[in-house]
Amino acid sequence: MTRTPLTKRRLLAAASVAIVGAVALTSCSGSSGGGVDASAPKHLSGTVSLWHFFTGREAGVIKTAVQGFEKKYPDVTVDIHGGQDDTKMQQAISSGQDIDVGLSYSTAIVGSFCSSGAFRDLGPYIKRDGVDLSDIPKVVRGYTSYKGNQCTLPALADSSALMMNTEQLKAAGITSPPKTLDELEADGLKLTTYNADGSIKHLGFNPLMSFEENSPEHFAPMIDGSWLTSSGKSTIGTSDGWKKLIAWQKAYVDKIGYAKLQAFTAGLGQEFSADNPFQTGQISMAIDGEYRTAFIRSQKPGLQYETAPTPVMEGLGTYGASYIAGNVAGIAKGSKNPELAWALLKYLSLDTSAQVTIGNGLKNVPTITSALDSPDLEVDANYKTFIDAAKNPATITSPATADGAAYIGTFTKMWTKYQSGGGDLDAQLKALDEDIDNENALTGP
Protein backbone atom coordinates (compact mmCIF):
# COMPACT_ATOMS: atom_id res chain seq x y z
CA MET A 1 0.00 0.00 0.00
CA THR A 2 1.27 3.43 -0.85
CA ARG A 3 1.25 6.48 1.30
CA THR A 4 -2.09 7.26 2.86
CA PRO A 5 -2.93 10.78 1.78
CA LEU A 6 -4.48 13.56 3.76
CA THR A 7 -8.17 12.80 3.68
CA LYS A 8 -10.73 14.76 5.64
CA ARG A 9 -10.75 11.91 8.15
CA ARG A 10 -7.01 12.21 8.56
CA LEU A 11 -7.40 15.95 8.83
CA LEU A 12 -9.92 15.52 11.61
CA ALA A 13 -7.61 13.06 13.32
CA ALA A 14 -4.72 15.45 12.87
CA ALA A 15 -6.81 18.23 14.31
CA SER A 16 -7.42 16.11 17.39
CA VAL A 17 -3.70 15.42 17.65
CA ALA A 18 -2.97 19.11 17.29
CA ILE A 19 -5.47 20.11 19.96
CA VAL A 20 -4.08 17.61 22.43
CA GLY A 21 -0.58 18.50 21.38
CA ALA A 22 -1.12 22.19 21.86
CA VAL A 23 -2.09 21.49 25.45
CA ALA A 24 0.64 18.95 26.04
CA LEU A 25 3.35 21.09 24.55
CA THR A 26 2.30 24.28 26.23
CA SER A 27 4.10 23.23 29.37
CA CYS A 28 7.36 22.90 27.47
CA SER A 29 6.94 25.83 25.13
CA GLY A 30 8.67 29.15 25.23
CA SER A 31 12.25 28.97 24.02
CA SER A 32 12.48 27.06 20.79
CA GLY A 33 15.66 25.33 21.76
CA GLY A 34 18.48 27.86 21.87
CA GLY A 35 19.98 30.44 19.55
CA VAL A 36 21.44 30.14 16.10
CA ASP A 37 25.16 30.42 15.43
CA ALA A 38 26.18 33.64 13.71
CA SER A 39 27.50 31.77 10.70
CA ALA A 40 26.84 28.40 9.16
CA PRO A 41 29.43 25.71 9.91
CA LYS A 42 31.99 25.24 7.15
CA HIS A 43 32.03 21.50 7.63
CA LEU A 44 29.24 19.18 8.72
CA SER A 45 29.82 15.94 10.56
CA GLY A 46 27.98 13.72 13.00
CA THR A 47 24.62 11.98 13.18
CA VAL A 48 21.21 13.54 12.69
CA SER A 49 17.90 11.80 13.32
CA LEU A 50 14.92 11.93 10.94
CA TRP A 51 11.46 10.85 12.05
CA HIS A 52 8.89 10.22 9.36
CA PHE A 53 5.61 8.33 8.94
CA PHE A 54 6.31 6.34 5.77
CA THR A 55 6.47 2.56 5.82
CA GLY A 56 7.32 -0.24 3.40
CA ARG A 57 8.15 0.71 -0.18
CA GLU A 58 7.62 4.38 0.49
CA ALA A 59 10.05 4.35 3.39
CA GLY A 60 12.55 3.07 0.84
CA VAL A 61 11.91 6.14 -1.32
CA ILE A 62 12.74 8.41 1.61
CA LYS A 63 15.87 6.37 2.32
CA THR A 64 16.98 6.82 -1.28
CA ALA A 65 16.53 10.58 -1.02
CA VAL A 66 18.45 10.63 2.27
CA GLN A 67 21.31 8.76 0.64
CA GLY A 68 21.67 11.72 -1.67
CA PHE A 69 22.12 13.94 1.38
CA GLU A 70 24.71 11.60 2.88
CA LYS A 71 26.57 11.59 -0.43
CA LYS A 72 26.62 15.39 -0.39
CA TYR A 73 27.84 15.40 3.22
CA PRO A 74 29.96 12.21 3.55
CA ASP A 75 30.77 12.83 7.21
CA VAL A 76 27.09 12.95 8.17
CA THR A 77 24.94 9.92 8.97
CA VAL A 78 21.16 10.09 9.07
CA ASP A 79 19.48 7.93 11.68
CA ILE A 80 16.06 7.23 10.12
CA HIS A 81 13.02 6.39 12.20
CA GLY A 82 10.21 5.36 9.83
CA GLY A 83 6.61 4.59 10.68
CA GLN A 84 6.37 7.42 13.22
CA ASP A 85 2.99 9.11 13.00
CA ASP A 86 2.24 12.58 14.32
CA THR A 87 1.16 11.33 17.73
CA LYS A 88 4.41 9.43 18.24
CA MET A 89 6.46 12.37 16.99
CA GLN A 90 4.61 14.72 19.25
CA GLN A 91 5.19 12.48 22.26
CA ALA A 92 8.86 12.18 21.39
CA ILE A 93 9.30 15.94 21.21
CA SER A 94 7.36 16.48 24.43
CA SER A 95 9.43 13.93 26.32
CA GLY A 96 12.75 15.22 25.01
CA GLN A 97 13.68 12.16 22.98
CA ASP A 98 16.45 12.33 20.42
CA ILE A 99 14.63 13.77 17.43
CA ASP A 100 16.21 16.35 15.15
CA VAL A 101 13.95 16.55 12.07
CA GLY A 102 10.30 15.56 12.13
CA LEU A 103 8.28 14.98 8.96
CA SER A 104 4.49 15.15 9.34
CA TYR A 105 1.75 14.13 6.92
CA SER A 106 -0.48 16.97 8.01
CA THR A 107 -0.43 20.71 7.60
CA ALA A 108 -2.95 20.78 10.45
CA ILE A 109 -0.10 20.56 12.96
CA VAL A 110 1.56 23.76 11.76
CA GLY A 111 -0.48 26.09 13.95
CA SER A 112 -0.01 24.09 17.13
CA PHE A 113 3.66 23.20 16.55
CA CYS A 114 4.61 26.75 15.61
CA SER A 115 2.71 28.39 18.47
CA SER A 116 3.87 25.90 21.09
CA GLY A 117 7.52 25.94 20.02
CA ALA A 118 7.56 22.20 19.31
CA PHE A 119 9.23 23.07 16.01
CA ARG A 120 11.88 25.79 15.99
CA ASP A 121 11.43 29.06 14.19
CA LEU A 122 13.42 28.63 10.97
CA GLY A 123 13.51 32.36 10.33
CA PRO A 124 16.96 32.93 11.88
CA TYR A 125 18.48 30.10 9.82
CA ILE A 126 16.82 31.34 6.63
CA LYS A 127 18.03 34.91 7.24
CA ARG A 128 21.56 33.88 8.25
CA ASP A 129 22.08 31.67 5.21
CA GLY A 130 20.24 33.96 2.79
CA VAL A 131 17.91 31.15 1.75
CA ASP A 132 15.61 32.15 -1.10
CA LEU A 133 12.16 30.67 -0.58
CA SER A 134 10.81 32.01 -3.86
CA ASP A 135 11.10 28.52 -5.38
CA ILE A 136 8.23 27.49 -3.11
CA PRO A 137 4.88 28.52 -4.65
CA LYS A 138 3.10 31.18 -2.62
CA VAL A 139 0.12 28.93 -1.84
CA VAL A 140 2.46 26.26 -0.43
CA ARG A 141 4.38 28.77 1.68
CA GLY A 142 0.98 29.76 3.03
CA TYR A 143 0.50 26.50 4.92
CA THR A 144 4.05 26.16 6.28
CA SER A 145 4.04 29.10 8.68
CA TYR A 146 1.82 30.45 11.43
CA LYS A 147 1.55 34.14 12.32
CA GLY A 148 4.89 34.87 10.72
CA ASN A 149 6.67 31.95 12.37
CA GLN A 150 8.22 29.86 9.61
CA CYS A 151 8.56 26.71 11.68
CA THR A 152 8.17 24.20 8.85
CA LEU A 153 9.12 23.70 5.23
CA PRO A 154 7.09 21.66 2.71
CA ALA A 155 8.06 18.18 1.57
CA LEU A 156 5.65 17.24 -1.23
CA ALA A 157 1.91 17.73 -1.33
CA ASP A 158 -1.45 16.43 -2.53
CA SER A 159 -3.70 18.23 -4.99
CA SER A 160 -7.15 17.12 -6.14
CA ALA A 161 -8.87 16.68 -9.50
CA LEU A 162 -11.62 14.70 -11.22
CA MET A 163 -11.09 11.04 -12.06
CA MET A 164 -13.19 9.73 -14.99
CA ASN A 165 -13.84 6.19 -16.23
CA THR A 166 -13.51 6.92 -19.95
CA GLU A 167 -14.98 3.59 -21.03
CA GLN A 168 -18.21 4.29 -19.13
CA LEU A 169 -18.39 7.92 -20.19
CA LYS A 170 -17.92 6.96 -23.84
CA ALA A 171 -20.67 4.33 -23.58
CA ALA A 172 -23.00 7.05 -22.24
CA GLY A 173 -22.11 9.37 -25.10
CA ILE A 174 -20.05 11.74 -22.94
CA THR A 175 -17.01 12.80 -24.92
CA SER A 176 -15.46 15.59 -22.85
CA PRO A 177 -14.83 16.22 -19.13
CA PRO A 178 -17.45 18.24 -17.25
CA LYS A 179 -16.06 21.69 -16.56
CA THR A 180 -18.93 23.16 -14.57
CA LEU A 181 -20.95 21.80 -11.66
CA ASP A 182 -24.06 21.78 -13.84
CA GLU A 183 -22.22 19.61 -16.36
CA LEU A 184 -20.89 17.36 -13.59
CA GLU A 185 -24.41 16.86 -12.27
CA ALA A 186 -25.90 16.23 -15.72
CA ASP A 187 -23.20 13.69 -16.58
CA GLY A 188 -23.41 12.09 -13.15
CA LEU A 189 -27.16 11.62 -13.34
CA LYS A 190 -26.92 10.31 -16.91
CA LEU A 191 -24.42 7.68 -15.81
CA THR A 192 -26.49 6.60 -12.79
CA THR A 193 -28.67 3.51 -13.21
CA TYR A 194 -31.14 1.82 -10.87
CA ASN A 195 -32.27 -1.67 -10.01
CA ALA A 196 -35.88 -2.76 -10.39
CA ASP A 197 -36.55 -1.97 -6.71
CA GLY A 198 -35.34 1.60 -7.18
CA SER A 199 -32.01 1.14 -5.44
CA ILE A 200 -28.85 2.39 -7.12
CA LYS A 201 -27.20 -0.06 -9.48
CA HIS A 202 -24.41 2.17 -10.73
CA LEU A 203 -23.47 5.70 -9.69
CA GLY A 204 -22.13 8.35 -12.03
CA PHE A 205 -20.80 10.63 -9.29
CA ASN A 206 -21.35 10.36 -5.55
CA PRO A 207 -22.30 13.84 -4.29
CA LEU A 208 -22.39 12.92 -0.59
CA MET A 209 -20.23 15.14 1.59
CA SER A 210 -17.74 12.97 3.52
CA PHE A 211 -17.69 10.29 0.83
CA GLU A 212 -14.00 9.55 0.32
CA GLU A 213 -12.36 12.84 -0.73
CA ASN A 214 -15.63 14.83 -0.82
CA SER A 215 -14.69 17.44 1.76
CA PRO A 216 -14.96 21.21 2.14
CA GLU A 217 -11.27 21.50 1.24
CA HIS A 218 -11.56 19.58 -2.02
CA PHE A 219 -14.84 21.30 -2.92
CA ALA A 220 -13.41 24.75 -2.14
CA PRO A 221 -11.82 25.24 -5.62
CA MET A 222 -15.30 24.91 -7.12
CA ILE A 223 -16.05 28.39 -5.79
CA ASP A 224 -12.58 29.70 -4.90
CA GLY A 225 -13.70 29.34 -1.31
CA SER A 226 -12.13 31.18 1.61
CA TRP A 227 -12.21 30.29 5.28
CA LEU A 228 -11.05 32.87 7.79
CA THR A 229 -10.29 36.58 7.96
CA SER A 230 -6.79 37.71 8.83
CA SER A 231 -7.96 38.02 12.44
CA GLY A 232 -9.24 34.44 12.46
CA LYS A 233 -12.96 35.09 12.12
CA SER A 234 -14.97 32.66 10.01
CA THR A 235 -16.05 33.95 6.60
CA ILE A 236 -17.80 30.76 5.56
CA GLY A 237 -21.27 31.65 6.78
CA THR A 238 -21.34 35.01 5.01
CA SER A 239 -19.90 33.68 1.76
CA ASP A 240 -22.37 33.66 -1.10
CA GLY A 241 -20.15 31.10 -2.84
CA TRP A 242 -20.22 28.58 -0.01
CA LYS A 243 -23.98 28.96 0.33
CA LYS A 244 -24.52 28.33 -3.39
CA LEU A 245 -22.17 25.34 -3.35
CA ILE A 246 -23.88 23.74 -0.36
CA ALA A 247 -27.28 24.35 -1.94
CA TRP A 248 -26.11 22.80 -5.21
CA GLN A 249 -24.70 19.74 -3.47
CA LYS A 250 -27.84 19.27 -1.36
CA ALA A 251 -30.10 19.54 -4.43
CA TYR A 252 -27.96 16.96 -6.25
CA VAL A 253 -28.27 14.58 -3.29
CA ASP A 254 -32.05 15.06 -3.21
CA LYS A 255 -32.41 14.24 -6.93
CA ILE A 256 -31.08 10.75 -6.25
CA GLY A 257 -32.19 10.40 -2.66
CA TYR A 258 -30.08 10.61 0.49
CA ALA A 259 -31.18 7.19 1.74
CA LYS A 260 -30.40 5.54 -1.61
CA LEU A 261 -26.96 7.14 -1.71
CA GLN A 262 -26.22 6.07 1.83
CA ALA A 263 -27.30 2.49 1.14
CA PHE A 264 -25.22 2.32 -2.03
CA THR A 265 -22.19 3.89 -0.37
CA ALA A 266 -22.38 1.47 2.56
CA GLY A 267 -21.86 -1.41 0.17
CA LEU A 268 -18.74 -0.01 -1.46
CA GLY A 269 -15.16 -1.04 -0.79
CA GLN A 270 -12.64 0.92 1.23
CA GLU A 271 -11.13 4.00 -0.35
CA PHE A 272 -7.52 2.83 0.00
CA SER A 273 -7.98 -0.75 -1.02
CA ALA A 274 -8.10 -2.55 -4.34
CA ASP A 275 -11.91 -2.45 -3.93
CA ASN A 276 -12.00 1.33 -4.27
CA PRO A 277 -15.31 1.94 -6.11
CA PHE A 278 -13.74 4.03 -8.87
CA GLN A 279 -11.20 1.32 -9.49
CA THR A 280 -13.90 -1.40 -9.52
CA GLY A 281 -16.06 0.63 -11.91
CA GLN A 282 -18.98 1.05 -9.48
CA ILE A 283 -18.63 4.84 -9.73
CA SER A 284 -17.77 6.60 -12.98
CA MET A 285 -16.34 9.87 -11.64
CA ALA A 286 -14.76 10.92 -8.35
CA ILE A 287 -12.78 13.75 -6.83
CA ASP A 288 -9.41 12.34 -5.79
CA GLY A 289 -5.73 13.07 -5.38
CA GLU A 290 -2.68 12.45 -7.57
CA TYR A 291 -1.83 9.38 -5.48
CA ARG A 292 -4.83 7.60 -7.10
CA THR A 293 -2.83 7.33 -10.32
CA ALA A 294 -0.24 5.29 -8.41
CA PHE A 295 -2.95 3.13 -6.82
CA ILE A 296 -4.46 2.39 -10.24
CA ARG A 297 -1.10 1.59 -11.75
CA SER A 298 -0.50 -0.90 -8.95
CA GLN A 299 -3.99 -2.30 -8.33
CA LYS A 300 -5.98 -1.84 -11.56
CA PRO A 301 -3.52 -1.30 -14.41
CA GLY A 302 -6.09 -2.02 -17.14
CA LEU A 303 -8.57 0.63 -16.01
CA GLN A 304 -9.47 3.05 -18.81
CA TYR A 305 -9.51 6.47 -17.19
CA GLU A 306 -8.48 10.06 -17.53
CA THR A 307 -8.10 12.97 -15.14
CA ALA A 308 -9.35 16.54 -15.51
CA PRO A 309 -9.47 19.65 -13.33
CA THR A 310 -12.19 19.82 -10.72
CA PRO A 311 -15.41 21.25 -12.22
CA VAL A 312 -16.33 24.70 -10.95
CA MET A 313 -19.43 26.78 -10.34
CA GLU A 314 -19.79 29.21 -13.21
CA GLY A 315 -18.66 32.70 -12.29
CA LEU A 316 -17.07 31.64 -8.99
CA GLY A 317 -14.38 28.98 -9.35
CA THR A 318 -11.26 28.96 -11.52
CA TYR A 319 -11.15 25.93 -13.80
CA GLY A 320 -7.74 24.30 -13.57
CA ALA A 321 -7.10 25.35 -9.98
CA SER A 322 -7.14 22.95 -7.04
CA TYR A 323 -6.74 22.61 -3.31
CA ILE A 324 -3.24 21.79 -2.11
CA ALA A 325 -1.85 20.62 1.23
CA GLY A 326 0.71 18.08 2.21
CA ASN A 327 3.71 17.03 4.21
CA VAL A 328 5.64 19.48 6.33
CA ALA A 329 8.91 19.09 8.22
CA GLY A 330 10.60 21.01 11.00
CA ILE A 331 13.43 20.99 13.52
CA ALA A 332 12.37 19.68 16.92
CA LYS A 333 12.83 22.14 19.76
CA GLY A 334 15.09 19.69 21.63
CA SER A 335 17.31 18.90 18.66
CA LYS A 336 20.86 18.07 19.77
CA ASN A 337 22.19 18.75 16.28
CA PRO A 338 20.32 21.76 14.94
CA GLU A 339 22.85 22.64 12.23
CA LEU A 340 22.74 19.11 10.85
CA ALA A 341 18.98 19.17 11.16
CA TRP A 342 18.79 22.45 9.23
CA ALA A 343 21.01 21.08 6.48
CA LEU A 344 18.87 17.93 6.16
CA LEU A 345 15.63 19.92 6.22
CA LYS A 346 16.89 22.25 3.49
CA TYR A 347 17.93 19.29 1.39
CA LEU A 348 14.60 17.47 1.63
CA SER A 349 12.53 20.62 1.06
CA LEU A 350 14.57 22.81 -1.27
CA ASP A 351 16.91 20.57 -3.25
CA THR A 352 15.47 19.97 -6.71
CA SER A 353 16.97 16.51 -7.18
CA ALA A 354 15.73 15.36 -3.77
CA GLN A 355 12.20 16.59 -4.50
CA VAL A 356 12.21 14.91 -7.91
CA THR A 357 13.46 11.64 -6.38
CA ILE A 358 10.70 11.65 -3.78
CA GLY A 359 8.09 12.82 -6.29
CA ASN A 360 8.91 10.05 -8.75
CA GLY A 361 8.90 7.47 -5.97
CA LEU A 362 5.74 8.51 -4.14
CA LYS A 363 3.80 10.09 -7.04
CA ASN A 364 2.93 13.05 -4.88
CA VAL A 365 3.27 16.65 -6.02
CA PRO A 366 6.66 18.37 -5.54
CA THR A 367 6.52 21.59 -3.54
CA ILE A 368 9.16 23.67 -5.31
CA THR A 369 8.74 25.11 -8.79
CA SER A 370 12.11 23.88 -10.04
CA ALA A 371 11.05 20.29 -9.30
CA LEU A 372 7.59 20.78 -10.79
CA ASP A 373 9.27 21.97 -13.99
CA SER A 374 12.14 19.49 -13.93
CA PRO A 375 12.51 17.30 -17.03
CA ASP A 376 13.53 14.51 -14.66
CA LEU A 377 10.08 14.45 -13.05
CA GLU A 378 8.23 11.49 -14.56
CA VAL A 379 4.89 12.93 -15.66
CA ASP A 380 2.24 11.06 -17.66
CA ALA A 381 -0.98 12.62 -18.94
CA ASN A 382 -3.06 11.76 -15.87
CA TYR A 383 -0.43 12.86 -13.32
CA LYS A 384 0.09 16.06 -15.33
CA THR A 385 -3.40 17.30 -14.39
CA PHE A 386 -2.30 17.46 -10.75
CA ILE A 387 1.09 18.99 -11.55
CA ASP A 388 -0.60 21.70 -13.63
CA ALA A 389 -3.09 22.32 -10.81
CA ALA A 390 -0.26 22.71 -8.30
CA LYS A 391 1.32 25.37 -10.53
CA ASN A 392 -1.96 27.21 -11.15
CA PRO A 393 -1.80 30.62 -9.39
CA ALA A 394 -5.46 30.29 -8.39
CA THR A 395 -4.88 27.05 -6.45
CA ILE A 396 -5.81 27.46 -2.81
CA THR A 397 -5.12 25.99 0.62
CA SER A 398 -6.57 26.49 4.10
CA PRO A 399 -5.04 28.59 6.88
CA ALA A 400 -3.44 27.10 9.99
CA THR A 401 -4.93 27.63 13.42
CA ALA A 402 -3.62 26.75 16.85
CA ASP A 403 -6.23 24.02 17.25
CA GLY A 404 -5.14 22.12 14.16
CA ALA A 405 -7.55 23.68 11.66
CA ALA A 406 -10.48 22.31 13.66
CA TYR A 407 -12.76 24.78 11.88
CA ILE A 408 -12.76 22.47 8.85
CA GLY A 409 -14.04 19.64 10.99
CA THR A 410 -16.77 21.88 12.39
CA PHE A 411 -17.72 22.90 8.84
CA THR A 412 -17.80 19.28 7.70
CA LYS A 413 -20.15 18.31 10.54
CA MET A 414 -22.53 21.13 9.69
CA TRP A 415 -22.50 20.25 5.98
CA THR A 416 -23.08 16.51 6.47
CA LYS A 417 -25.95 17.25 8.84
CA TYR A 418 -27.54 19.65 6.36
CA GLN A 419 -27.32 17.24 3.42
CA SER A 420 -29.41 14.69 5.30
CA GLY A 421 -31.83 16.88 7.20
CA GLY A 422 -31.99 20.15 5.31
CA GLY A 423 -33.57 23.07 7.17
CA ASP A 424 -32.76 26.78 7.28
CA LEU A 425 -29.36 27.03 5.56
CA ASP A 426 -28.89 30.69 6.45
CA ALA A 427 -29.44 29.97 10.14
CA GLN A 428 -27.09 26.99 10.06
CA LEU A 429 -24.36 29.00 8.35
CA LYS A 430 -24.73 31.77 10.91
CA ALA A 431 -24.45 29.22 13.72
CA LEU A 432 -21.40 27.73 11.98
CA ASP A 433 -19.58 31.06 12.04
CA GLU A 434 -20.40 31.50 15.72
CA ASP A 435 -19.16 27.98 16.55
CA ILE A 436 -15.89 28.48 14.67
CA ASP A 437 -15.29 31.90 16.20
CA ASN A 438 -15.94 30.53 19.68
CA GLU A 439 -13.54 27.64 19.11
CA ASN A 440 -10.83 29.95 17.83
CA ALA A 441 -11.36 32.28 20.78
CA LEU A 442 -10.60 29.39 23.13
CA THR A 443 -7.41 28.20 21.45
CA GLY A 444 -6.29 31.26 19.52
CA PRO A 445 -6.85 31.60 15.74
Side-chain angles (χ1 to χ4, degrees), residues 64-103:
T64 299
V66 166
Q67 287 171 343
F69 174 77
E70 292 176 323
K71 184 177 180 180
K72 182 176 182 179
Y73 300 102
D75 292 329
V76 177
T77 300
V78 180
D79 183 17
I80 301 175
H81 299 254
Q84 307 298 318
D85 62 23
D86 282 4
T87 300
K88 292 178 181 176
M89 182 171 66
Q90 187 178 73
Q91 292 170 343
I93 294 173
S94 298
S95 61
Q97 291 186 46
D98 183 16
I99 171 172
D100 293 308
V101 176
L103 175 63

Side-chain angles (χ1 to χ4, degrees), residues 193-251:
T193 59
Y194 299 88
N195 295 306
D197 63 0
S199 61
I200 297 170
K201 182 178 183 180
H202 176 87
L203 196 56
F205 176 80
N206 193 337
L208 285 178
M209 179 52 55
S210 292
F211 167 71
E212 295 190 344
E213 298 304 313
N214 290 1
S215 65
E217 308 98 285
H218 294 155
F219 275 30
M222 297 174 177
I223 57 161
D224 194 20
S226 60
W227 313 87
L228 305 174
T229 66
S230 59
S231 61
K233 296 290 186 180
S234 174
T235 61
I236 299 169
T238 56
S239 163
D240 186 53
W242 280 119
K243 182 180 176 181
K244 288 181 176 177
L245 181 59
I246 294 169
W248 168 81
Q249 181 267 347
K250 166 67 172 167

Side-chain angles (χ1 to χ4, degrees), residues 108-126:
I109 71 160
V110 172
S112 62
F113 275 44
C114 284
S115 59
S116 68
F119 277 165
R120 298 184 179 213
D121 181 5
L122 304 176
Y125 292 98
I126 293 170

Side-chain angles (χ1 to χ4, degrees), residues 304-316:
Q304 300 298 305
Y305 80 102
E306 291 180 358
T307 62
T310 300
V312 300
M313 185 168 283
E314 284 189 283
L316 291 177

Side-chain angles (χ1 to χ4, degrees), residues 3 6 105 107 143 156-159 323-327 396-398:
R3 168 180 175 264
L6 180 64
Y105 49 72
T107 56
Y143 66 69
L156 274 71
D158 299 327
S159 63
Y323 175 87
I324 191 168
N327 307 330
I396 58 178
T397 190
S398 49

Side-chain angles (χ1 to χ4, degrees), residues 260-317:
K260 288 182 181 180
L261 286 167
Q262 283 287 76
F264 181 80
T265 301
L268 299 175
Q270 295 295 315
E271 179 180 2
F272 298 108
S273 72
D275 291 334
N276 173 281
F278 178 76
Q279 295 179 190
T280 59
Q282 293 166 284
I283 292 178
S284 300
M285 298 183 290
I287 300 294
D288 215 328
E290 76 292 331
Y291 42 81
R292 182 59 53 197
T293 66
F295 275 86
I296 292 173
R297 184 179 301 109
S298 171
Q299 298 172 341
K300 194 73 172 181
L303 184 67
Q304 300 298 305
Y305 80 102
E306 291 180 358
T307 62
T310 300
V312 300
M313 185 168 283
E314 284 189 283
L316 291 177

Side-chain angles (χ1 to χ4, degrees), residues 334-406:
S335 170
K336 304 295 192 298
N337 308 287
E339 291 293 349
L340 296 182
W342 171 233
L344 177 59
L345 179 57
K346 279 193 298 184
Y347 182 81
L348 294 175
S349 297
L350 301 174
D351 185 276
T352 301
S353 63
Q355 284 257 320
V356 168
T357 295
I358 301 173
N360 285 339
L362 302 181
K363 279 302 172 199
N364 291 140
V365 175
T367 39
I368 52 177
T369 302
S370 57
L372 287 167
D373 293 335
S374 172
D376 296 325
L377 188 66
E378 299 164 358
V379 182
D380 62 21
N382 286 322
Y383 182 45
K384 186 175 186 299
T385 298
F386 300 94
I387 296 298
D388 290 344
K391 293 191 288 187
N392 191 307
T395 284
I396 58 178
T397 190
S398 49
T401 57
D403 59 4

